Amino acid sequence: MKVAIIGAGVAGIVSLKYALEKGHECDCFEETGEFGGTWVYTDENGEHENGSKIYRSMYKDLITNLPKDVMVFMDFPYPEHVKESFISQQQVLQYLTDYVNYFKLNSHIKYNETVTKVQPLPDNKWKVTTQKSENLSAYDAVFVCNGHFRYPKFPKIVGQELFTGFQIHSAEYRDRRLFRDKQVLIIGASYSGTDIACQLKDMARTVYLSHWKPINIKIENVLNKPAVELFEFKNVVFADGSIENIDAVIYCTGYEYRLPFLDESCGITIKNNWVQPLYKHIINIEHPTMFIIGYPHSLPSFLASDLQARFSLTVLENKNLLPSKENMLKDLNDYLCNLRRKNIPQTQFHKVELGLEKYFAELVKISGIKHFPPVLLKLYMHKIKNPGKDDKLYKILDDENYITCSTISSLSK
Ligand SMILES: Cc1cc2nc3c(=O)[nH]c(=O)nc-3n(C[C@H](O)[C@H](O)[C@H](O)COP(=O)(O)OP(=O)(O)OC[C@H]3O[C@@H](n4cnc5c(N)ncnc54)[C@H](O)[C@@H]3O)c2cc1C
Ligand SMILES: *[C@@H]1O[C@H](CO)[C@@H](O)[C@H](O)[C@H]1NC(C)=O
Ligand SMILES: *[C@@H]1O[C@H](CO)[C@@H](O)[C@H](O)[C@H]1NC(C)=O
Ligand SMILES: *[C@@H]1O[C@H](CO)[C@@H](O)[C@H](O)[C@H]1NC(C)=O
């Protein structure tokens, strides 16, 4: 079959690897000049000289918030010499580079080629258009791997436009050194908010961390604040009435799902950050030869993309593994009812953190693919319950067990 893959980040390269392994003819379109997506760092920010936007969100000195053992593809461990558990952005990118080289993926990636339109054709085929060409040869399947840490989400706050300080989204944050001796306000205390607060706490004069909900995060040298009520020229007024003089605001308020290149006829809509109708967060129920890889969040994304890619390729080959359209819609509806019953807002519908084990098990059961070893999910769950970076070293002993060590030398014992 002819397969189009959109994006060469984690989700794109793992999809490409397995699609080639199945003997498909693959074109992987990548907007930038490099593979790696999120894991590529660039100093550039904002816009290119020609006015086109730069979508990069990596920053300097980033250390992973998960141990590398759960940031892996199946049967492709990190090399022996990488001992530490929490590794740098460069080390992750090196891992992806090793993967691309080992499986000879590079010649299938079409760099500097942005997919601008995807449309279904008769006979379950697809037309894919890029800024370079309107390729008329039809594809049998499309893997959408465009990532969802791409379009920054900003809250609207009174007085924002009058504020004289510096305001950026975490997507534009690059180098902590720019904030030396500044009074910094970080809005949002999720992964990036807390991580950037840790980066700045010994660099900035003061770091305030604001969140709408009461937070139980204690970071040394970081002052917790409630929601921002309004901005005045140089000041920020908080919900508890306190006022602080602020030089720079960093919005760590997340990203939006967007699929600007999907033609309306693809049948996909996005409302309140919920992409639908998708079966198991992957399959376009209206056209089940379109697969979206890497969309659920709050999970080990390398492992999830690996599993989703293999799931998709298996059901693509063997269509009778999939339920009927009617039953896929029913499955989706049951999922929605369950979330609504739990009062989970629609913006959180792609968050599978709570039902993670069940979600992975379902993909395995439907398609019959091999699951990853249970120890990886155990370690991931342990990390979720004990967030933050520690100096611990994790060592996988076997499929079921890991141990924690405090020094590199004790790892080899
Ligand atoms: C700051 C930051 C820190 C993170 N830290 C961790 C961590 O410690 N551990 C962890 O497991 N995860 C972490 N993540 C999550 C991380 O994004 C995932 O691990 C993973 O890299 C997502 O891969 P992806 O392929 O889905 O998306 P991306 O990496 O975003 O890749 C998408 C690719 O698609 C391309 N593309 C988009 N649109 C088009 C188009 N129209 N045409 C052609 N190409 C297109 C993009 O250029 C990009 O290369 C972090 C994310 C961020 C933003
Ligand atoms: C992609 O574009 C960049 C910038 O224009 C260029 O430097 C690079 O060589 C191109 N890469 C490929 C593989 O064509
Ligand atoms: C703008 O420039 C960048 C970097 O050189 C390039 O990758 C991109 O394709 C250009 N965009 C347009 C619309 O020409
Ligand atoms: C269309 O795609 C095929 C392979 O999928 C490629 O060989 C060909 O060069 C493409 N045509 C154009 C005009 O880009």
Side-chain angles (χ1 to χ4, degrees):
M1 283 189 244
K2 282 202 63 169
V3 175
I5 297 166
I6 304 168
V10 164
I13 63 177
V14 75
S15 298
L16 177 59
K17 185 257 186 184
Y18 289 118
L20 290 169
E21 224 169 70
K22 292 265 184 199
H24 300 315
E25 197 186 313
C26 302
D27 288 326
C28 178
F29 300 100
E30 170 52 51
E31 173 169 88
T32 70
E34 294 108 13
F35 60 81
T38 301
W39 295 100
V40 177
Y41 172 80
T42 163
D43 286 324
E44 290 180 312
N45 215 337
E47 288 174 358
H48 288 294
E49 280 175 6
N50 57 20
S52 74
K53 271 200 170 296
I54 298 169
Y55 294 106
R56 291 285 191 206
S57 29
M58 187 48 60
Y59 41 87
K60 268 198 183 148
D61 311 321
L62 178 129
I63 301 291
T64 60
N65 56 13
L66 291 174
K68 67 174 188 304
D69 314 82
V70 301
M71 293 179 61
V72 285
F73 299 126
M74 286 280 272
D75 305 318
F76 200 79
Y78 280 81
E80 269 296 308
H81 63 83
V82 182
K83 303 280 188 217
E84 56 280 51
S85 290
F86 298 93
I87 60 176
S88 67
Q89 162 262 328
Q90 291 96 325
Q91 287 173 303
V92 179
L93 189 58
Q94 186 58 51
Y95 173 80
L96 300 178
T97 306
D98 292 345
Y99 191 80
V100 166
N101 291 340
Y102 188 83
F103 295 108
K104 304 189 169 59
L105 307 180
N106 206 34
S107 60
H108 303 274
I109 304 176
K110 294 178 179 296
Y111 293 104
N112 294 330
E113 198 150 350
T114 306
V115 172
T116 52
K117 198 170 222 154
V118 176
Q119 293 158 286
L121 296 171
D123 308 328
N124 297 320
K125 305 242 181 218
W126 295 96
K127 178 177 172 183
V128 176
T129 309
T130 72
Q131 102 282 15
K132 284 190 184 160
S133 71
E134 188 161 347
N135 199 325
L136 295 173
S137 61
Y139 290 96
D140 299 291
V142 174
F143 281 65
V144 176
C145 308
N146 68 327
H148 58 86
F149 295 109
R150 185 175 169 87
Y151 300 103
K153 204 161 61 182
F154 283 96
K156 282 203 173 61
I157 300 173
V158 178
Q160 221 162 18
E161 58 305 329
L162 299 175
F163 181 67
T164 54
F166 183 59
Q167 299 183 71
I168 56 166
H169 189 273
S170 62
E172 299 162 275
Y173 171 82
R174 292 288 181 271
D175 191 343
R176 59 175 150 180
R177 291 156 197 91
L178 277 176
F179 297 87
R180 194 184 300 278
D181 295 329
K182 297 267 191 293
Q183 298 267 104
V184 182
L185 167 64
I186 294 173
I187 300 182
S190 191
Y191 297 112
S192 42
T194 51
D195 197 40
I196 292 174
C198 289
Q199 275 214 340
L200 293 180
K201 67 186 168 69
D202 301 320
M203 180 65 66
R205 176 140 37 98
T206 319
V207 177
Y208 300 99
L209 183 61
S210 152
H211 200 259
W212 6 101
K213 284 186 277 185
I215 43 172
N216 188 20
I217 296 170
K218 288 196 190 77
I219 306 172
E220 208 182 317
N221 291 343
V222 173
L223 299 168
N224 287 341
K225 283 284 183 184
V228 175
E229 186 94 2
L230 60 98
F231 286 95
E232 289 168 342
F233 302 94
K234 286 186 160 179
N235 294 330
V236 176
V237 182
F238 295 91
D240 60 359
S242 61
I243 302 177
E244 304 294 345
N245 190 261
I246 299 291
D247 300 313
V249 179
I250 306 173
Y251 291 91
C252 297
T253 42
Y255 295 83
E256 269 172 26
Y257 288 87
R258 279 197 217 162
L259 290 158
F261 47 84
L262 292 193
D263 188 75
E264 218 176 285
S265 55
C266 296
I268 296 285
T269 59
I270 305 180
K271 206 177 152 205
N272 293 326
N273 242 12
W274 167 240
V275 184
Q276 56 177 324
L278 299 182
Y279 179 60
K280 304 292 177 205
H281 304 272
I282 304 173
I283 296 178
N284 177 352
I285 298 178
E286 294 298 332
H287 298 278
T289 53
M290 173 182 279
F291 306 90
I292 303 190
I293 308 298
Y295 265 33
H297 62 90
S298 308
L299 40 58
S301 56
F302 288 53
L303 292 167
S305 291
D306 189 300
L307 208 61
Q308 289 187 324
R310 287 185 290 123
F311 168 84
S312 303
L313 288 157
T314 306
V315 301
L316 175 65
E317 225 174 18
N318 206 335
K319 296 210 168 51
N320 56 16
L321 291 173
L322 274 189
S324 64
K325 179 175 174 184
E326 201 180 21
N327 285 333
M328 287 197 276
L329 285 170
K330 185 178 174 302
D331 182 86
L332 176 61
N333 196 47
D334 291 347
Y335 177 73
L336 293 183
C337 290
N338 187 28
L339 294 177
R340 291 207 177 99
R341 224 177 296 125
K342 292 180 183 155
N343 278 322
I344 294 176
Q346 197 171 355
T347 51
Q348 300 292 308
F349 283 5
H350 285 305
K351 182 170 178 171
V352 294
E353 186 174 84
L354 299 174
L356 197 54
E357 212 164 342
K358 182 164 165 264
Y359 176 66
F360 288 150
E362 280 170 354
L363 297 185
V364 167
K365 185 161 173 247
I366 295 164
S367 61
I369 56 174
K370 188 174 152 207
H371 207 327
F372 50 77
V375 62
L376 300 182
L377 208 53
K378 274 187 204 166
L379 178 53
Y380 176 78
M381 290 303 192
H382 163 79
K383 215 41 227 161
I384 290 302
K385 287 183 197 125
N386 304 276
K389 288 152 205 175
D390 46 44
D391 300 327
K392 292 203 184 82
L393 294 155
Y394 297 97
K395 184 180 162 121
I396 306 282
L397 291 180
D398 53 39
D399 283 358
E400 297 285 342
N401 302 290
Y402 67 88
I403 49 166
T404 308
C405 308
S406 46
T407 60
I408 288 191
S409 58
S410 62
L411 271 182
S412 48
K413 288 189 187 136

